[in-house]
Amino acid sequence: MTAPQHTSPSTTRFLRRAEGRLAYDVQGSGPLVLLVPGMAELRSSYRFLTPALVAAGYTVATTDLRGHGDSDTTFTSYGGPETASDISALITELGRPAVVVGNSLAAGAGVIAAADHPGQVCGLVLVGPFVRNPTLPPGMRSLFHLMTSPLWVATVWKAYMPSLYAGTKPADFTAYRATVVDRLRQPGHGRAFSQTARQTDHAFAEARLAEVDTPVLVVMGDRDPDFKDPAAEAAWIGETLHGEVMMVPDAGHYPHAQQPELTTRAVLDFLAKAHPGA
């Protein structure tokens, strides 16, 4: 796995919202692409994709979810609609429409944002997407809530992360995992993650699927452990949203970090059609 390329240094910016600030970076020039990570992840999860998009002529904004990374932990509500609102606010701040790349929870949030503000979202790249609630065995939801208790979530997540990266892992996985876990151990972050896990309901995204009228690319790892049948889930989302589907071999929930060359090529091909002008 190749190491991430380095682009010109970026300075973290902050967008003020009613209950706190969202951290984000902006690099490059050209049409806007907004990269939003999933729950527990950091904006640096896009460390492989960002430089390639910048080099291809795009302005790339990467943001941390509320309560994650460098964003504040003072928020009281989390989940898909809240993240969709943050996406819209950031696009407004940046002053032009964007293709939104969302992973996991953020994919569903992208769907909601596209439905709420079609003039802001000119394309969606849904990576390992949750756009409906999965069917879980009895008691699994309660177990997940127990696992994500603020008291031990950092320890649990450190042990759990490798399973989410089923298949090929990034060369820097050990260092990246240490960074994620360190963040979860910072004051307020474990609580914010726990609230995100407990408040998130993907039914909000599913209810808005029929309202999305923008080009869509679904990117799914063929070993994504969050789905009983990743290929079937990706096919259903693609059919429902009239979008393209790419299955990424030997990748789990984070194909953009696990197979960055394949994912980047697919994203660039999609951007050339959905967001021309770079």
Side-chain angles (χ1 to χ4, degrees), residues 21-244:
R21 304 175 307 159
L22 299 174
Y24 69 100
D25 299 319
V26 179
Q27 301 180 58
S29 60
L32 179 62
V33 183
L34 174 59
L35 310 180
V36 190
M39 184 171 60
E41 290 287 294
L42 307 172
R43 65 189 191 277
S44 56
S45 68
Y46 290 108
R47 62 199 179 278
F48 300 98
L49 182 58
T50 296
L53 298 186
V54 170
Y58 293 94
T59 297
V60 181
T62 54
T63 183
D64 285 324
L65 296 178
R66 53 176 61 192
H68 290 59
D70 292 317
S71 293
D72 289 342
T73 60
T74 50
F75 296 91
T76 58
S77 61
Y78 299 85
E82 291 81 3
T83 303
S85 175
D86 293 339
I87 288 171
S88 176
L90 185 51
I91 292 175
T92 298
E93 175 73 12
L94 296 173
R96 48 199 157 130
V99 166
V100 176
V101 180
N103 175 222
S104 195
L105 154 70
V111 165
I112 297 170
D116 283 343
H117 305 284
Q120 288 189 328
V121 180
C122 48
L124 289 171
V125 180
L126 308 179
V127 185
F130 276 110
V131 300
R132 60 178 176 176
N133 287 319
T135 301
L136 299 175
M140 183 58 70
R141 188 175 298 277
S142 296
L143 177 61
F144 183 67
H145 289 172
L146 179 63
M147 288 170 56
T148 55
S149 166
L151 296 175
W152 49 71
V153 66
T155 300
V156 169
W157 203 255
K158 181 179 181 180
Y160 187 56
M161 274 185 72
S163 68
L164 292 173
Y165 281 81
T168 300
K169 292 179 175 56
D172 63 350
F173 175 72
T174 299
Y176 177 71
R177 179 172 64 162
T179 301
V180 169
V181 172
D182 180 67
R183 278 296 182 183
L184 286 174
R185 287 178 173 149
Q186 299 301 311
H189 283 262
R191 176 191 54 78
F193 174 44
S194 179
Q195 287 183 279
T196 304
R198 297 176 184 210
Q199 294 179 17
T200 294
D201 183 349
H202 304 298
F204 289 108
E206 184 176 10
R208 308 302 299 278
L209 290 171
E211 300 173 55
V212 174
D213 184 21
T214 191
V216 172
L217 171 65
V218 179
V219 180
M220 182 76 83
D222 68 354
R223 298 182 60 182
D224 192 326
D226 275 338
F227 303 96
K228 182 178 180 180
D229 187 337
E233 184 69 12
W236 178 82
I237 297 170
E239 181 178 357
T240 301
L241 292 174
H242 310 290
E244 306 171 41

